[in-house]
Structure formats: structure tokens, C-alpha cells
Amino acid sequence: MTYADRFRAALDLVARAAEALERRGLKPPVVVGGAAAEIYSGGEIASSDFDLVTAHQLELLGELRQLGFTWQVGNVDRMVVHPTLGYVVEVVSPWLMDGRADSARVRRFEIGRGLAVDVIGVEDLIADRMGQAFSRPFGGPPITDRRNQALRLFQIASGIAPGLDAAYLDRRIREETVNSASLETLQRWNDDDRDHQAR
């Protein structure tokens, strides 16, 4: 994995805060959103912040403040920022995807130096990116960067043994896009992408 130096430094701090929660007997946070996409893609997809899910919001933010983060003005109950790295860490919810995601699919990533982070399951992350891609009001084409992230994550995850749970991924895409898309949509994009690269 070849993360940018700033992302790697921020990721290490998030992992250290998660480890501190575990030492206190609390469940560690789960990385979601763009930072999760950056982790799964090994740095290919870049993120500018960290979205975390935890039921221990104040405890987590307290641990991050001890590691050099400061309160984000106007959001002191859910968000901190690192003054030199520039990364914002936000607690976005106490539940994964508002309870729609399967917490048993959360994956632990060992990031080196004895540190690890828990990351949302890849199927739920792809479905989240699909939901955002199809979030344009009044229809319209999918939002390009979210479409591309969903497609790239699908391509990466398809090559990881034992691979994706196709039935679960299809259901979650349908849920997140309110039936505007499905696994078939993603597979069609993948076929189009392969055809384009073959030209």
C-alpha cells in the first residue's frame, strides 16, 4: 500500500486512538466514506478527511485531542482537525450506514507498526459510492467521481479472494440508490471500461 505521507500520518493517529478505546474496553470506530475508499484502493483513491462510525463519540474525540487534534470550530461535539496535517476527523453516525450495513463484514486492516483500523465492508462501501453517484435531484447522469470510485472499488475487490458477495452487493446497491441501479449497472460499467481500454 502506498498511501500519501499526510494520509498515512493521519491514519496512524486514528489507529492509535482506536487502540486506546479498545484498551478501555470500548469498541473501536469503523472507517467509512472516502478514507475507507483510500484504504481499500491502497492510496489510488484519495480522501481529504476521515469519516468514522462509533457509539463512543466523545471518548474517541477525546483520544484524538490527546494525539494533537483540536476542536473544529462550530462542530465541537463531532469533529476535530489536525493543525499540521490538515485532516478533519468527523464522527458521522453511531451506526454503520444508519443500520443498513452488515457489521459482520467490517474488515480489520493491519497498517504496520503494530497498528490496525476497522473499515466498513467493501460491498457496503461500493453501495455507498453508488448511492452518492445516483443522488442527483431530478435524475440526471451519475455523479462522475462517485461513479468512478464505485467502479474502481468493484474492480479491486473482484480480484480479492474470496471475492465479493454478489447477492448482498446487489441488494445493498438497490437500497442505497432507491432502485436506480443494481449490480448489473456496475457490471455494465465494468464491461464498458474494459472495452474502452481495449481500443
Side-chain angles (χ1 to χ4, degrees), residues 48-195:
S48 59
D49 60 8
F50 281 81
D51 291 339
L52 303 178
V53 170
T54 179
H56 308 291
Q57 179 172 319
L58 292 178
E59 292 88 347
L60 173 63
L61 295 177
E63 294 292 348
L64 287 167
R65 290 188 69 216
Q66 289 187 41
L67 293 169
F69 285 81
T70 60
W71 291 119
Q72 177 77 346
V73 176
N75 294 288
V76 295
D77 60 338
R78 63 186 178 89
M79 194 181 294
V80 290
V81 61
H82 196 280
T84 55
L85 296 174
Y87 273 92
V88 171
V89 176
E90 180 178 1
V91 176
V92 294
S93 176
W95 308 283
L96 272 178
M97 305 287 290
D98 294 324
R100 295 186 302 275
D102 180 0
S103 61
R105 295 174 187 272
V106 168
R107 182 175 169 195
R108 178 155 287 197
F109 276 79
E110 304 293 333
I111 60 171
R113 297 194 272 278
L115 297 171
V117 290
D118 289 350
V119 184
I120 189 170
V122 70
E123 291 93 347
D124 289 302
L125 180 60
I126 292 168
D128 172 62
R129 304 287 95 175
M130 290 289 283
Q132 291 187 30
F134 282 87
S135 65
R136 285 195 188 278
F138 314 114
I143 297 170
T144 303
D145 71 324
R146 292 302 187 261
R147 172 201 182 279
N148 293 345
Q149 285 186 25
L151 175 58
R152 188 62 189 124
L153 288 165
F154 174 71
Q155 292 168 339
I156 291 167
S158 294
I160 300 172
L164 292 163
D165 183 333
Y168 180 77
L169 178 57
D170 183 61
R171 176 172 68 81
R172 290 291 296 118
I173 291 172
R174 291 175 187 274
E175 288 174 350
E176 294 301 319
T177 64
V178 196
N179 288 315
S180 295
S182 65
L183 176 56
E184 183 180 348
T185 308
L186 199 51
Q187 290 167 329
R188 188 171 62 250
W189 290 349
N190 191 44
D191 291 343
D192 291 347
D193 187 62
R194 278 200 308 245
D195 290 344

Side-chain angles (χ1 to χ4, degrees), residues 9-23:
L11 181 61
D12 283 3
L13 293 174
V14 168
R16 288 171 59 192
E19 182 182 59
L21 285 192
E22 284 195 284
R23 284 197 305 268

